[in-house]
Amino acid sequence: MKPAPFEYLRPRSLGEAAVMLEQGGEGAQILAGGQSLIPTLSLRLARPSVLIDINRVEDSAALAEQGGTLRCGARVRHVELEHSALTRRCAPLLAMAMPHVAHPAIRNRGTPCGSVALADPAAEIPACALALNAQIMLQSAKGTRSVLAENYFLRLYETARTPSEVVAELRFPVALAHERFGFIEFARRHGDFAIVGIAVAARLEGTSVASLRLVIFGCEPIPRVSAAAAKLAAGCDYRDLPVRQIAEAVASELDPMENAQGDAHSKRRQARALTARVLMHMLAGEST
Amino acid sequence: MSEVETLLPLSLTVNGLSVREHAPARLTLVDFLRHRLGLTGSHVGCEHGVCGACHVRVGGQVVRGCLFLAVQADGTTVETIEGLSASGEIADLQEAFVRGNAMQCGFCTPGVLMIAADLVSLDRTVSREEIREALSGNYCRCTGYQAIVDAIEEVSRARHARVA
């Protein structure tokens, strides 16, 4: 046994979980899919006194389209999002990103809500949530509030979620006919955390670009919408997007974390290459 | 800490047999299977979800046995490599692995076979790219994967040739 001892609780609803989280105080933590949390327990990087296992809660298991949003509850697993026809129709960007989320056995267990709760800088779901500006529903013993993805990611592993809140649901705006999406990432092994990744959502008006949300992730402390890319693309003819210029701008805007995966210089080069590639694929109407 | 750790009850089905046991909450499923039930076919490699040697099926789905608490398996159906071997479900895969030398030390093989079993049971043949992508979560430090991919591809084709 590697993890330090903890008390194990199994609530029947998310509401009950939120109450337990409040009562458990500082040492209490939610256990969702556990694919990131359990390794930190085994390495004893985390030593929660109470683990609140939400894998059996009866609510929040739904992946459903409702009122122009694709709702993904806390208990929905990556594999469901990966294989659902709803995902392909309502959120093509997520469908493109899913094969990059770890490996099959991890996707069978891990959850999109858990990924957003942890906010690993190299994770795909947070980047997609930001590109789509999804609503993140946070539930506590006091009630539920909604935070837009662009206000959610604050600093490395730091989000707008307080310790007494659980990520109850993600609400992705349903894709419209005049939107285009692209996703690409570079990792040492397929499914590993991205060294550099890009998620793009473009909205067209006729053939011109009304808005471009290009999110770069993996190499900075939090996923970020590129201001330079948005500015350069706005108003351009979609078929004539200044791809090279945007790629240069994305790279020079970047302030990469330097670590064992590479120095700032290589990450900028990777970002430039990936930006160009994902935009070319998107223009060609292919998925990457 | 002299405090006695709480043991939680769990009852589950493992390879078709019902099991009633008690376990501390922090015991992982793979350690439970190996140390309590003596099912040592599931291997413990990295113990943090990277290597794939500990793959087992819970409720029909392959999971990392090291990223799953034993108490979370309460009320579920668990299948290990021993169960898959005994039922004959993967007999053709095992034969292909032996025939094609798709292993050297064999440490990763049970975890690889759990993933391979899912791949070859799809209603279509799988490409080498798909096999490689599915195996991206399994570390093999001996063979270089070539022979493993060959063996899985061979079985995928053979199963569909039989149906067609």
Side-chain angles (χ1 to χ4, degrees), chain A residues 1-6 8 10 31 35 38-39 42 44 53 55-56 79 99 103-106 108-109 189-190, chain B residues 1 5 8 24-27 47-50 55 61-62 64 66-69 71-72 74 133-134 136-137 139:
Chain A
M1 277 181 299
K2 297 267 172 125
F6 51 80
Y8 174 81
R10 194 185 283 160
L31 172 61
Q35 303 302 287
I38 296 181
S42 291
R44 298 207 178 189
D53 182 355
N55 284 284
R56 307 255 175 131
V79 68
H103 315 288
I106 304 269
N108 281 343
R109 191 72 185 154
R189 155 176 89 144
H190 179 93
Chain B
M1 222 166 51
E5 204 171 342
L8 302 168
R26 61 178 168 142
L27 185 68
E47 295 187 69
H48 62 279
V50 179
H55 280 162
Q61 287 197 304
V62 179
R64 303 278 214 234
C66 72
L67 300 186
F68 203 107
L69 302 174
V71 288
Q72 294 186 295
D74 181 33
E133 196 175 315
S136 67
Y139 271 156

Side-chain angles (χ1 to χ4, degrees), chain A residues 235-250:
Chain A
C236 286
D237 190 302
Y238 179 69
R239 296 158 302 186
D240 209 17
L241 210 59
V243 171
R244 285 177 68 106
Q245 243 182 302
I246 294 174
E248 286 295 343
V250 166

Side-chain angles (χ1 to χ4, degrees), chain A residues 10 56, chain B residues 9-13 19 58-59 70-78:
Chain A
R10 194 185 283 160
R56 307 255 175 131
Chain B
L10 68 155
S11 66
L12 64 160
T13 305
V19 173
V58 179
V71 288
Q72 294 186 295
D74 181 33
T76 68
T77 299
V78 173

Side-chain angles (χ1 to χ4, degrees), chain B residues 12-25:
Chain B
L12 64 160
T13 305
V14 180
N15 298 332
L17 298 173
S18 53
V19 173
R20 280 171 182 282
E21 273 277 357
H22 284 78

Side-chain angles (χ1 to χ4, degrees), chain B residues 7-158:
Chain B
L7 297 180
L8 302 168
L10 68 155
S11 66
L12 64 160
T13 305
V14 180
N15 298 332
L17 298 173
S18 53
V19 173
R20 280 171 182 282
E21 273 277 357
H22 284 78
R26 61 178 168 142
L27 185 68
T28 60
L29 179 59
V30 68
D31 280 347
F32 174 79
L33 294 167
R34 288 174 56 85
H35 300 307
R36 294 293 178 79
L37 306 185
L39 296 169
T40 53
S42 311
H43 291 163
V44 171
C46 72
E47 295 187 69
H48 62 279
V50 179
C51 78
C54 64
H55 280 162
V56 294
R57 272 190 203 154
V58 179
Q61 287 197 304
V62 179
V63 298
R64 303 278 214 234
C66 72
L67 300 186
F68 203 107
L69 302 174
V71 288
Q72 294 186 295
D74 181 33
T76 68
T77 299
V78 173
E79 293 161 276
T80 68
I81 191 66
E82 288 89 348
L84 265 63
S85 293
S87 72
E89 181 188 332
I90 55 167
D92 51 353
L93 269 173
Q94 288 166 315
E95 281 162 27
F97 268 57
V98 171
R99 204 167 41 243
N101 256 329
M103 75 198 81
Q104 281 180 36
C105 82
F107 188 86
C108 71
T109 312
V112 169
L113 286 171
M114 297 299 291
I115 288 287
D118 276 3
L119 279 177
V120 298
S121 66
L122 293 175
D123 57 3
R124 56 186 173 79
T125 55
V126 284
S127 67
R128 294 182 75 83
E129 291 69 37
E130 282 176 282
I131 297 169
R132 284 191 176 276
E133 196 175 315
L135 289 180
S136 67
N138 292 81
Y139 271 156
C140 166
R141 302 287 78 164
C142 304
T143 70
Y145 303 97
Q146 193 71 24
I148 299 175
V149 177
D150 290 345
I152 297 171
E153 188 184 32
E154 179 193 320
V155 172
S156 177
R157 285 189 181 161

